[in-house]
Amino acid sequence: IVDAGVTRARADARVAEPRADAAPRDASIAIDAVAMAVPPDAAVATTGFIVVKNDTWCEVTIDGDPRGRTGAMNASKPLRVDAGPHTVICEQPGTANKWTKQVEVGSGGSVTAAGSMLRAFAVTLGVDATIDGIPHKRGAVVTLKRGRHDFEINGVMTRFDVSAACTVQSTPEPGCY
Protein backbone atom coordinates (compact mmCIF):
# COMPACT_ATOMS: atom_id res chain seq x y z
CA ILE A 1 0.00 0.00 0.00
CA VAL A 2 1.34 3.42 -0.97
CA ASP A 3 0.19 6.77 0.53
CA ALA A 4 -0.81 8.86 -2.47
CA GLY A 5 -1.19 12.16 -0.61
CA VAL A 6 0.37 15.01 -2.51
CA THR A 7 1.32 18.27 -0.85
CA ARG A 8 2.06 21.75 -2.08
CA ALA A 9 4.04 24.38 -0.16
CA ARG A 10 2.48 27.77 0.46
CA ALA A 11 4.98 30.46 -0.37
CA ASP A 12 3.76 32.84 2.33
CA ALA A 13 3.59 30.41 5.24
CA ARG A 14 6.29 27.90 4.32
CA VAL A 15 3.89 25.18 5.44
CA ALA A 16 2.90 22.26 3.27
CA GLU A 17 -0.80 21.83 2.64
CA PRO A 18 -2.70 19.23 0.61
CA ARG A 19 -3.47 20.16 -2.98
CA ALA A 20 -7.15 20.46 -3.71
CA ASP A 21 -6.95 18.07 -6.67
CA ALA A 22 -4.86 15.45 -4.83
CA ALA A 23 -6.18 12.18 -3.52
CA PRO A 24 -6.77 12.07 0.24
CA ARG A 25 -3.81 10.84 2.34
CA ASP A 26 -5.54 7.59 3.18
CA ALA A 27 -6.05 6.69 -0.49
CA SER A 28 -4.17 3.60 -1.51
CA ILE A 29 -2.86 1.93 -4.64
CA ALA A 30 -2.66 -1.84 -4.81
CA ILE A 31 0.76 -3.10 -5.84
CA ASP A 32 1.39 -6.60 -7.13
CA ALA A 33 3.45 -7.97 -4.22
CA VAL A 34 4.48 -11.04 -6.22
CA ALA A 35 6.17 -8.91 -8.89
CA MET A 36 7.96 -6.83 -6.23
CA ALA A 37 9.07 -9.72 -4.03
CA VAL A 38 12.80 -10.49 -4.01
CA PRO A 39 14.07 -13.19 -1.68
CA PRO A 40 16.45 -11.61 0.84
CA ASP A 41 19.25 -14.05 -0.02
CA ALA A 42 18.95 -13.63 -3.82
CA ALA A 43 22.36 -12.91 -5.35
CA VAL A 44 22.53 -10.14 -7.91
CA ALA A 45 24.64 -11.24 -10.87
CA THR A 46 27.49 -8.82 -11.57
CA THR A 47 29.59 -8.72 -14.68
CA GLY A 48 32.95 -7.58 -15.93
CA PHE A 49 35.13 -8.08 -19.01
CA ILE A 50 38.10 -10.11 -20.21
CA VAL A 51 40.31 -8.81 -23.01
CA VAL A 52 42.39 -11.52 -24.71
CA LYS A 53 45.71 -10.42 -26.23
CA ASN A 54 47.90 -12.71 -28.29
CA ASP A 55 50.63 -12.17 -30.87
CA THR A 56 48.74 -14.11 -33.54
CA TRP A 57 45.21 -15.41 -34.08
CA CYS A 58 43.65 -17.95 -31.74
CA GLU A 59 40.32 -19.47 -30.81
CA VAL A 60 39.26 -18.29 -27.34
CA THR A 61 37.33 -20.29 -24.76
CA ILE A 62 36.37 -19.05 -21.31
CA ASP A 63 35.47 -21.72 -18.77
CA GLY A 64 35.00 -24.18 -21.66
CA ASP A 65 32.60 -21.86 -23.53
CA PRO A 66 33.79 -20.98 -27.09
CA ARG A 67 33.98 -17.18 -27.49
CA GLY A 68 35.33 -16.82 -31.03
CA ARG A 69 38.59 -15.90 -32.70
CA THR A 70 40.90 -13.06 -31.77
CA GLY A 71 43.66 -11.56 -33.91
CA ALA A 72 46.99 -9.93 -33.15
CA MET A 73 47.94 -8.25 -29.86
CA ASN A 74 45.38 -5.43 -29.67
CA ALA A 75 42.59 -6.77 -31.88
CA SER A 76 40.44 -8.39 -29.18
CA LYS A 77 37.20 -6.77 -28.06
CA PRO A 78 36.20 -7.10 -24.38
CA LEU A 79 34.27 -10.28 -23.63
CA ARG A 80 31.49 -9.97 -21.00
CA VAL A 81 31.66 -12.50 -18.16
CA ASP A 82 30.24 -12.86 -14.65
CA ALA A 83 32.47 -11.45 -11.94
CA GLY A 84 34.71 -14.08 -10.36
CA PRO A 85 37.45 -16.52 -11.35
CA HIS A 86 37.75 -17.72 -14.95
CA THR A 87 39.97 -19.97 -17.07
CA VAL A 88 40.91 -18.47 -20.44
CA ILE A 89 42.32 -20.69 -23.20
CA CYS A 90 43.76 -19.33 -26.43
CA GLU A 91 44.65 -21.99 -28.99
CA GLN A 92 45.13 -22.72 -32.65
CA PRO A 93 43.26 -26.01 -33.14
CA GLY A 94 45.26 -28.74 -34.81
CA THR A 95 48.59 -27.27 -33.65
CA ALA A 96 50.59 -27.28 -30.44
CA ASN A 97 50.01 -23.51 -30.11
CA LYS A 98 48.04 -22.98 -26.91
CA TRP A 99 48.15 -21.08 -23.63
CA THR A 100 45.94 -21.00 -20.56
CA LYS A 101 45.52 -18.18 -18.03
CA GLN A 102 43.59 -17.97 -14.76
CA VAL A 103 42.02 -14.55 -14.18
CA GLU A 104 39.84 -12.93 -11.53
CA VAL A 105 37.24 -10.45 -12.81
CA GLY A 106 35.83 -7.86 -10.43
CA SER A 107 32.30 -6.50 -10.68
CA GLY A 108 32.33 -3.86 -13.42
CA GLY A 109 36.04 -4.44 -13.97
CA SER A 110 38.18 -5.52 -16.87
CA VAL A 111 41.21 -7.82 -16.90
CA THR A 112 43.60 -8.79 -19.66
CA ALA A 113 44.64 -12.36 -20.39
CA ALA A 114 47.79 -12.12 -22.53
CA GLY A 115 50.02 -14.73 -24.07
CA SER A 116 52.30 -15.50 -26.96
CA MET A 117 52.45 -18.27 -29.50
CA LEU A 118 55.06 -17.00 -31.92
CA ARG A 119 58.57 -18.25 -31.38
CA ALA A 120 61.34 -15.65 -31.25
CA PHE A 121 64.70 -15.91 -32.99
CA ALA A 122 68.09 -14.22 -32.68
CA VAL A 123 68.73 -12.20 -35.83
CA THR A 124 72.28 -10.92 -36.42
CA LEU A 125 72.71 -7.81 -38.54
CA GLY A 126 75.39 -8.04 -41.19
CA VAL A 127 74.51 -4.46 -42.24
CA ASP A 128 73.06 -1.32 -40.67
CA ALA A 129 69.30 -1.73 -40.86
CA THR A 130 66.05 -0.36 -39.59
CA ILE A 131 63.71 -3.16 -38.50
CA ASP A 132 60.04 -2.36 -37.98
CA GLY A 133 60.95 1.31 -37.63
CA ILE A 134 63.80 0.84 -35.14
CA PRO A 135 67.38 1.52 -36.32
CA HIS A 136 70.12 -1.03 -35.54
CA LYS A 137 73.85 -1.07 -36.24
CA ARG A 138 75.79 -3.76 -38.06
CA GLY A 139 76.79 -6.51 -35.65
CA ALA A 140 73.75 -6.08 -33.39
CA VAL A 141 71.77 -9.15 -32.43
CA VAL A 142 68.04 -8.53 -32.14
CA THR A 143 65.25 -10.86 -31.13
CA LEU A 144 62.40 -11.04 -33.64
CA LYS A 145 59.24 -13.08 -33.47
CA ARG A 146 58.45 -15.44 -36.30
CA GLY A 147 56.67 -13.66 -39.10
CA ARG A 148 56.90 -10.79 -41.55
CA HIS A 149 59.00 -7.72 -40.67
CA ASP A 150 59.78 -4.43 -42.40
CA PHE A 151 63.48 -3.79 -43.11
CA GLU A 152 65.23 -0.74 -44.48
CA ILE A 153 68.67 -1.70 -45.76
CA ASN A 154 70.89 0.85 -47.56
CA GLY A 155 67.90 3.18 -47.89
CA VAL A 156 65.72 0.55 -49.60
CA MET A 157 62.52 -0.67 -47.92
CA THR A 158 61.83 -4.38 -48.09
CA ARG A 159 59.74 -6.90 -46.20
CA PHE A 160 60.53 -10.52 -45.53
CA ASP A 161 59.68 -13.35 -43.16
CA VAL A 162 61.83 -14.46 -40.27
CA SER A 163 61.34 -18.13 -39.48
CA ALA A 164 64.69 -19.11 -37.92
CA ALA A 165 67.84 -17.56 -36.49
CA CYS A 166 69.67 -15.83 -39.35
CA THR A 167 71.93 -12.99 -40.45
CA VAL A 168 70.48 -10.01 -42.33
CA GLN A 169 72.51 -9.27 -45.48
CA SER A 170 72.13 -6.86 -48.38
CA THR A 171 73.48 -9.32 -50.99
CA PRO A 172 72.72 -11.26 -53.10
CA GLU A 173 69.47 -9.42 -52.32
CA PRO A 174 68.22 -8.04 -49.00
CA GLY A 175 67.20 -10.95 -46.81
CA CYS A 176 67.83 -13.09 -43.76
CA TYR A 177 70.38 -15.80 -44.58
PDB file of all heavy atoms in Angstrom, residues 97-110:
ATOM      1  N   ASN A  97      50.080 -24.891 -30.600  1.00  0.00           N
ATOM      2  CA  ASN A  97      50.015 -23.508 -30.113  1.00  0.00           C
ATOM      3  C   ASN A  97      48.808 -23.328 -29.194  1.00  0.00           C
ATOM      4  O   ASN A  97      47.659 -23.347 -29.639  1.00  0.00           O
ATOM      5  CB  ASN A  97      49.927 -22.525 -31.279  1.00  0.00           C
ATOM      6  CG  ASN A  97      51.174 -22.514 -32.120  1.00  0.00           C
ATOM      7  OD1 ASN A  97      52.252 -22.879 -31.648  1.00  0.00           O
ATOM      8  ND2 ASN A  97      51.050 -22.103 -33.359  1.00  0.00           N
ATOM      9  N   LYS A  98      49.109 -23.115 -27.896  1.00  0.00           N
ATOM     10  CA  LYS A  98      48.040 -22.978 -26.906  1.00  0.00           C
ATOM     11  C   LYS A  98      48.615 -22.381 -25.631  1.00  0.00           C
ATOM     12  O   LYS A  98      49.740 -22.673 -25.254  1.00  0.00           O
ATOM     13  CB  LYS A  98      47.450 -24.354 -26.599  1.00  0.00           C
ATOM     14  CG  LYS A  98      46.389 -24.377 -25.529  1.00  0.00           C
ATOM     15  CD  LYS A  98      45.887 -25.804 -25.328  1.00  0.00           C
ATOM     16  CE  LYS A  98      44.834 -25.887 -24.253  1.00  0.00           C
ATOM     17  NZ  LYS A  98      44.322 -27.266 -24.114  1.00  0.00           N
ATOM     18  N   TRP A  99      47.824 -21.518 -24.987  1.00  0.00           N
ATOM     19  CA  TRP A  99      48.155 -21.080 -23.633  1.00  0.00           C
ATOM     20  C   TRP A  99      46.882 -20.974 -22.818  1.00  0.00           C
ATOM     21  O   TRP A  99      45.787 -20.831 -23.348  1.00  0.00           O
ATOM     22  CB  TRP A  99      48.970 -19.797 -23.592  1.00  0.00           C
ATOM     23  CG  TRP A  99      48.434 -18.584 -24.293  1.00  0.00           C
ATOM     24  CD1 TRP A  99      48.840 -18.102 -25.503  1.00  0.00           C
ATOM     25  CD2 TRP A  99      47.421 -17.672 -23.839  1.00  0.00           C
ATOM     26  NE1 TRP A  99      48.142 -16.958 -25.827  1.00  0.00           N
ATOM     27  CE2 TRP A  99      47.275 -16.666 -24.814  1.00  0.00           C
ATOM     28  CE3 TRP A  99      46.626 -17.593 -22.703  1.00  0.00           C
ATOM     29  CZ2 TRP A  99      46.368 -15.622 -24.687  1.00  0.00           C
ATOM     30  CZ3 TRP A  99      45.716 -16.553 -22.575  1.00  0.00           C
ATOM     31  CH2 TRP A  99      45.607 -15.583 -23.556  1.00  0.00           C
ATOM     32  N   THR A 100      47.052 -21.068 -21.503  1.00  0.00           N
ATOM     33  CA  THR A 100      45.936 -21.000 -20.562  1.00  0.00           C
ATOM     34  C   THR A 100      46.280 -19.999 -19.464  1.00  0.00           C
ATOM     35  O   THR A 100      47.406 -20.003 -18.971  1.00  0.00           O
ATOM     36  CB  THR A 100      45.678 -22.386 -19.922  1.00  0.00           C
ATOM     37  OG1 THR A 100      45.394 -23.325 -20.952  1.00  0.00           O
ATOM     38  CG2 THR A 100      44.515 -22.347 -18.946  1.00  0.00           C
ATOM     39  N   LYS A 101      45.336 -19.164 -19.103  1.00  0.00           N
ATOM     40  CA  LYS A 101      45.518 -18.178 -18.033  1.00  0.00           C
ATOM     41  C   LYS A 101      44.335 -18.240 -17.076  1.00  0.00           C
ATOM     42  O   LYS A 101      43.196 -18.413 -17.499  1.00  0.00           O
ATOM     43  CB  LYS A 101      45.606 -16.741 -18.583  1.00  0.00           C
ATOM     44  CG  LYS A 101      46.691 -16.516 -19.590  1.00  0.00           C
ATOM     45  CD  LYS A 101      48.036 -16.412 -18.951  1.00  0.00           C
ATOM     46  CE  LYS A 101      49.078 -16.152 -20.029  1.00  0.00           C
ATOM     47  NZ  LYS A 101      50.393 -16.100 -19.588  1.00  0.00           N
ATOM     48  N   GLN A 102      44.629 -18.105 -15.791  1.00  0.00           N
ATOM     49  CA  GLN A 102      43.594 -17.971 -14.764  1.00  0.00           C
ATOM     50  C   GLN A 102      43.470 -16.485 -14.456  1.00  0.00           C
ATOM     51  O   GLN A 102      44.477 -15.811 -14.240  1.00  0.00           O
ATOM     52  CB  GLN A 102      43.992 -18.718 -13.487  1.00  0.00           C
ATOM     53  CG  GLN A 102      44.255 -20.200 -13.692  1.00  0.00           C
ATOM     54  CD  GLN A 102      43.013 -20.956 -14.113  1.00  0.00           C
ATOM     55  OE1 GLN A 102      41.908 -20.682 -13.654  1.00  0.00           O
ATOM     56  NE2 GLN A 102      43.187 -21.914 -15.009  1.00  0.00           N
ATOM     57  N   VAL A 103      42.240 -15.957 -14.476  1.00  0.00           N
ATOM     58  CA  VAL A 103      42.020 -14.546 -14.184  1.00  0.00           C
ATOM     59  C   VAL A 103      40.896 -14.401 -13.172  1.00  0.00           C
ATOM     60  O   VAL A 103      40.055 -15.282 -13.029  1.00  0.00           O
ATOM     61  CB  VAL A 103      41.692 -13.729 -15.459  1.00  0.00           C
ATOM     62  CG1 VAL A 103      42.854 -13.738 -16.432  1.00  0.00           C
ATOM     63  CG2 VAL A 103      40.426 -14.229 -16.126  1.00  0.00           C
ATOM     64  N   GLU A 104      40.892 -13.274 -12.481  1.00  0.00           N
ATOM     65  CA  GLU A 104      39.838 -12.928 -11.527  1.00  0.00           C
ATOM     66  C   GLU A 104      39.236 -11.609 -11.995  1.00  0.00           C
ATOM     67  O   GLU A 104      39.937 -10.607 -12.104  1.00  0.00           O
ATOM     68  CB  GLU A 104      40.421 -12.772 -10.122  1.00  0.00           C
ATOM     69  CG  GLU A 104      39.410 -12.419  -9.057  1.00  0.00           C
ATOM     70  CD  GLU A 104      38.545 -13.601  -8.610  1.00  0.00           C
ATOM     71  OE1 GLU A 104      38.996 -14.757  -8.696  1.00  0.00           O
ATOM     72  OE2 GLU A 104      37.402 -13.354  -8.191  1.00  0.00           O
ATOM     73  N   VAL A 105      37.930 -11.637 -12.299  1.00  0.00           N
ATOM     74  CA  VAL A 105      37.243 -10.451 -12.813  1.00  0.00           C
ATOM     75  C   VAL A 105      36.396  -9.848 -11.709  1.00  0.00           C
ATOM     76  O   VAL A 105      35.564 -10.537 -11.121  1.00  0.00           O
ATOM     77  CB  VAL A 105      36.350 -10.806 -14.027  1.00  0.00           C
ATOM     78  CG1 VAL A 105      35.600  -9.588 -14.524  1.00  0.00           C
ATOM     79  CG2 VAL A 105      37.179 -11.426 -15.135  1.00  0.00           C
ATOM     80  N   GLY A 106      36.625  -8.568 -11.418  1.00  0.00           N
ATOM     81  CA  GLY A 106      35.830  -7.859 -10.426  1.00  0.00           C
ATOM     82  C   GLY A 106      34.554  -7.326 -11.046  1.00  0.00           C
ATOM     83  O   GLY A 106      34.467  -7.131 -12.260  1.00  0.00           O
ATOM     84  N   SER A 107      33.564  -7.052 -10.213  1.00  0.00           N
ATOM     85  CA  SER A 107      32.303  -6.503 -10.684  1.00  0.00           C
ATOM     86  C   SER A 107      32.541  -5.169 -11.372  1.00  0.00           C
ATOM     87  O   SER A 107      33.125  -4.263 -10.797  1.00  0.00           O
ATOM     88  CB  SER A 107      31.357  -6.321  -9.501  1.00  0.00           C
ATOM     89  OG  SER A 107      30.168  -5.721  -9.930  1.00  0.00           O
ATOM     90  N   GLY A 108      32.147  -5.072 -12.645  1.00  0.00           N
ATOM     91  CA  GLY A 108      32.328  -3.861 -13.422  1.00  0.00           C
ATOM     92  C   GLY A 108      33.752  -3.650 -13.905  1.00  0.00           C
ATOM     93  O   GLY A 108      34.041  -2.668 -14.553  1.00  0.00           O
ATOM     94  N   GLY A 109      34.630  -4.585 -13.605  1.00  0.00           N
ATOM     95  CA  GLY A 109      36.041  -4.438 -13.968  1.00  0.00           C
ATOM     96  C   GLY A 109      36.399  -5.111 -15.279  1.00  0.00           C
ATOM     97  O   GLY A 109      35.586  -5.770 -15.918  1.00  0.00           O
ATOM     98  N   SER A 110      37.649  -4.938 -15.652  1.00  0.00           N
ATOM     99  CA  SER A 110      38.176  -5.523 -16.874  1.00  0.00           C
ATOM    100  C   SER A 110      39.582  -6.042 -16.587  1.00  0.00           C
ATOM    101  O   SER A 110      40.364  -5.363 -15.923  1.00  0.00           O
ATOM    102  CB  SER A 110      38.225  -4.465 -17.981  1.00  0.00           C
ATOM    103  OG  SER A 110      38.742  -5.024 -19.159  1.00  0.00           O
TER     104      SER A 110
END
